[in-house]
């Protein structure tokens, strides 16, 4: 249920998308607080974990590294993988429908803030075989 009064939201306050590689807590989205043009939230990647190559058809994505260190891949316009080491403070721009992947290469958890525009394509993550909905406040 959408609660349009939710303008201050912590990841612990919302249910999360759980996967074998980590979790995504959408803290702003149409279904969370009525955001109309984008969605976003916090990704938690344990050491050595990451999400495999995927894309969000029709959407651009911004990834901001809050903490931890990793390896980010974003394909160029010809489909060639471009890989870089990333750490706190790095912003990664993923152009519309572009394939990308993230791997935590550090020995500490990696925290990312992600934004999708327009909102919606990230909901396809619910169709992945290892998806599970984690309750608010859950691990």
């Amino acid at each position: 249920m959408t609660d349009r009064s939710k303008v201050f939201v912590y990841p612990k306050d919302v249910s999360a998308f759980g996967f074998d590689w980590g979790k995504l807590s959408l803290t702003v989205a149409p279904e969370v607080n009525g955001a109309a043009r984008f969605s976003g939230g916090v990704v938690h990647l344990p050491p050595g974990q990451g999400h495999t190559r995927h894309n969000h058809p029709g959407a651009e994505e911004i990834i901001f590294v809050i903490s931890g260190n990793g390896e980010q891949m974003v394909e160029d316009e010809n489909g060639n993988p471009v890989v870089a080491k990333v750490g706190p403070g790095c912003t990664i721009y993923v152009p519309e429908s572009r394939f990308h992947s993230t791997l935590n290469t550090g020995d500490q958890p990696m925290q990312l803030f992600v934004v999708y525009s327009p909102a919606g394509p990230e909901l396809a993550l619910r169709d992945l075989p290892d998806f599970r909905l984690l309750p608010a406040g859950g691990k």
Side-chain angles (χ1 to χ4, degrees):
M1 177 181 213
T2 301
D3 180 352
R4 293 186 183 278
S5 69
K6 284 187 176 181
V7 294
F8 303 103
V9 183
Y10 289 90
K12 67 178 179 56
D13 297 334
V14 295
S15 59
F17 294 7
F19 306 95
D20 293 345
W21 50 262
K23 68 179 179 176
L24 164 62
S25 301
L26 288 175
T27 53
V28 58
E31 63 276 13
V32 174
N33 44 20
R37 294 182 179 89
F38 58 87
S39 62
V42 178
V43 174
H44 175 86
L45 297 174
Q49 296 296 312
H51 60 77
T52 58
R53 177 186 175 276
H54 69 283
N55 72 342
H56 305 280
E60 295 177 291
E61 182 176 359
I62 297 168
I63 303 169
F64 179 79
V65 181
I66 299 169
S67 63
N69 294 286
E71 189 172 272
Q72 181 67 49
M73 185 280 292
V74 179
E75 290 185 353
D76 67 17
E77 60 277 355
N78 297 315
N80 300 308
V82 177
V83 179
K85 293 189 181 307
V86 296
C90 184
T91 299
I92 299 108
Y93 168 59
V94 182
E96 182 179 340
S97 304
R98 200 74 59 87
F99 282 90
H100 58 284
S101 63
T102 309
L103 175 65
N104 179 348
T105 58
D107 58 2
Q108 298 294 315
M110 191 173 188
Q111 296 280 330
L112 311 170
F113 189 80
V114 297
V115 177
Y116 308 96
S117 178
E122 73 284 357
L123 297 179
L125 294 169
R126 291 175 175 251
D127 296 332
L128 295 175
D130 63 338
F131 169 81
R132 59 196 176 281
L133 188 64
L134 305 173
K139 303 243 181 201

